[in-house]
Amino acid sequence: MSTELPPVAPEVLAEAVESLTARLRKKLDDATAGCAAAATGEADGSVTFRFGEDAVVTLRPGPAGTVTEAGQATCTCLLAPRCLHRAAALGAAPLADTDLPEPEPAESAGTEQTTAAEPAESAASAASAEAASGEPAEPAPALTAAQAGAAAALWHAAAEALAAGVTAGGAVVQAELLRAAHTVRLAGLPRAEAAALRVVRGLRAARERRTAHRLGDLTGSFRELLHTAGVLASGTADPALTGTARRAYTPGGSLQVQGLCREPVLSATGYGGVVTHLLAPDGSRYSISDVRPGGLARARGAGRASVALGGATLDHAGLARGGLRIVGATVSPEGRLGAGRGVRATPLPGAAWTDGPAAPLFDRPAAEAVAALLAAPVEAAEAETALIGCDVTVVGAAGDHLLVREAVPYAPLLRLLPAHPHPELPHTENLRRIASYPGLRLRVLGRPDLDRAATLRPVAVGPVPGAQYTLRLPGEWLGRADLGYDRLQGEHFPPPDAAAAAAGEAGPVPAADAPDPLADAPLWRVRRLLETGVAGGRRAVAEAARGTAAQAAYGPLRRAGLTAAADLATALAAEADRRPRDAFGRLADPSPDGYAWAWLAAATHLAAAERSLVAASWTATPNGATSAAP
């Protein structure tokens, strides 16, 4: 059994790699490869790595379990601390999260306390005022010279990593990104740092061939990083891109909230826990989370952990089906409730989804709710975490997803995918059991997957009021089952004799024939080119520019009317193959900036086109076909 390695702060790893000589850097990837398997845990909590007889590296994490200082990583060889052994051991450990702990709100917090939402809210208010008055709003403030310089350095590091691709994006390339990420963090640009860390983690997962790695996710991370760094390097302080390192809490006064559902939280960096979603009578959304290091074990157990809020005597299971009256509430910009010393909470009786503030969630079609999310001036991350509700009829299983049809006229087929696909969590098992009851009427609460056509990731389900062939849940569940914690059993479903009355409700479309306008559109050719660049680097994309392959590949795009996508893909392939040399055979323009801009232009256009197809996939024509155009 391998020893679990302590997380390492990104700047510690970047400094260790930067101190190596050019000769040692070439050996770093090979030295790192076998480190994790050779690690040994010690009784004092440290981890040791033995490199031969004379070199032993020791990692001594701090009280939080993370290596945050260079002195916590030592080596016994003569070259230490600028040695290959120490850098390899640090590189084998996972990257630590750099988010600062959430600050405990002060009891005397008043109107002078600032929040992370203020810049975004100010921008939204300015946009609204401009639309109402017809006068242009004031331009966004400029970044400082230090911030713009840090963003420019991050852009260059990201462009170099993109040109290298996964195949050449080893420890040295990753260290350059980490060093640039630390610089933008010190400059007060935490969102840019977070984007860089996602790319580094994606490169690691791809090079280690982890099962959870998806090339499409890494492609999206590169797009976000280049976009963020490029905009910030121009000197514009876009509030949506600067971000904040802390979630500042502001006084929320007295609140009354009802539990909506709870779901497990499991991150790739070893954190686990639970978040419980809440609703106020006016429809405002709040949440209470309990996420700490511990991974899967903590995510599974936190569902019944006590709620640490103002002396409340509820656990998260009780709060998900109960309520709270809160005095002296403190709220983050994301709606997260704080647990300050001045907060007092009293439990309230729960309410079913058919009553109270949850009822309006199921009153409008899912297509309208998704359209509102896509049109709202909110960040993409907020839109992708918003919960929507709908009543559906089960069609059946198709591959890794469950097909359902919403109970509204001309509704398209919707795909239900597990909100958390980990096999130790019950999401997948619950959906598999639901799929065995075609025609079952189901009330679903979930978040739309805005990267897939007509796809919903359910968090909780319940019976449809008034339906005969629907779920039969215990009374204490108050009409809903949390798919991440509650396991649906046979007694929770209607008896077999009730299925005859629901025959035909599943609809005439077979599960295998579900239309997917996103997969059917020729845009997959652009997506494949972009992912080829992420996997193989600039050299792999350049192959598409040679011969007549480009014209043959992008002809279907032009015939489908997607001329902009075809032009951008052709320009990307041509830029990748553009390597001008001087009279001595040296590269005349070795900078990867032109290639990175061409890649980002194609990736941004593709993301917008796919988002349009996803939005259209939620609506259907009267004959039942999806209304999305190619």
Side-chain angles (χ1 to χ4, degrees), residues 186-525:
L186 295 179
L189 302 172
R191 182 152 298 175
E193 180 209 20
L197 294 184
R198 279 192 291 273
V199 168
V200 173
R201 292 191 176 103
L203 287 173
R204 284 188 166 195
R207 291 178 61 84
E208 296 170 6
R209 293 182 171 86
R210 300 177 191 169
T211 56
H213 163 69
R214 290 182 65 248
L215 188 57
D217 292 339
L218 181 55
T219 302
S221 297
F222 262 112
R223 183 187 70 244
E224 180 186 358
L225 172 59
L226 289 170
H227 171 70
T228 302
V231 172
L232 294 178
S234 69
T236 302
D238 187 340
L241 298 180
T242 51
T244 180
R246 288 173 174 251
R247 294 186 181 94
Y249 287 80
T250 54
S254 297
L255 293 176
Q256 181 173 318
V257 293
Q258 287 288 335
L260 187 62
C261 63
R262 61 187 163 141
E263 62 173 320
V265 175
L266 185 61
S267 75
T269 55
Y271 284 76
V274 63
V275 58
T276 298
H277 301 277
L278 309 165
L279 278 176
D282 62 356
S284 300
R285 305 192 182 195
Y286 300 94
S287 66
I288 296 177
S289 64
D290 182 5
V291 181
R292 303 175 189 174
L296 176 64
R298 193 169 197 291
R300 296 173 64 181
R304 291 197 170 275
S306 298
V307 176
L309 182 69
T313 57
L314 289 174
D315 58 14
H316 280 271
L319 179 58
R321 296 183 173 94
L324 286 176
R325 179 178 288 109
I326 307 172
V327 178
T330 54
V331 188
S332 78
E334 299 85 2
R336 185 165 306 191
L337 298 177
R341 288 173 294 176
V343 178
R344 296 291 180 267
T346 304
L348 295 175
W353 280 352
T354 53
D355 304 320
L361 291 177
F362 305 93
D363 287 345
R364 63 175 177 173
E368 294 184 9
V370 172
L373 285 176
L374 294 173
V378 297
E379 300 175 11
E382 295 180 29
E384 291 172 356
T385 56
L387 297 177
I388 66 172
C390 57
D391 293 342
V392 301
T393 300
V394 174
V395 175
D400 62 344
H401 53 264
L402 169 64
L403 285 180
V404 300
R405 189 183 296 278
E406 192 177 3
V408 296
Y410 310 134
L413 285 173
L414 305 182
R415 296 164 178 81
L416 302 188
L417 285 177
H420 299 275
H422 196 288
E424 296 297 324
L425 296 174
H427 291 90
T428 302
E429 180 185 345
N430 282 331
L431 288 185
R432 187 181 297 116
R433 185 177 288 272
I434 291 172
S436 63
Y437 290 85
L440 183 74
R441 298 292 305 279
L442 199 66
R443 175 157 282 189
V444 178
L445 184 70
R447 57 178 54 87
D449 188 336
L450 302 182
D451 293 327
R452 297 172 181 259
T455 299
L456 191 67
R457 295 187 179 269
V459 175
V461 296
V464 174
Q468 296 296 320
Y469 194 57
T470 188
L471 292 177
R472 303 185 178 187
L473 302 179
E476 61 269 20
W477 285 17
L478 284 182
R480 67 258 204 183
D482 297 327
L483 294 179
Y485 289 105
D486 300 322
R487 294 186 182 272
L488 296 175
Q489 305 295 334
E491 63 267 21
H492 299 148
F493 292 88
D497 56 358
E505 287 192 20
V509 180
D513 294 340
D516 189 343
L518 192 59
D520 296 339
L523 288 171
W524 64 266
R525 300 171 186 272

Side-chain angles (χ1 to χ4, degrees), residues 596-618:
W597 281 118
W599 188 95
L600 178 59
T604 302
H605 182 274
L606 175 65
E610 289 184 333
R611 184 60 62 90
S612 297
L613 287 175
V614 168
S617 70
W618 285 84

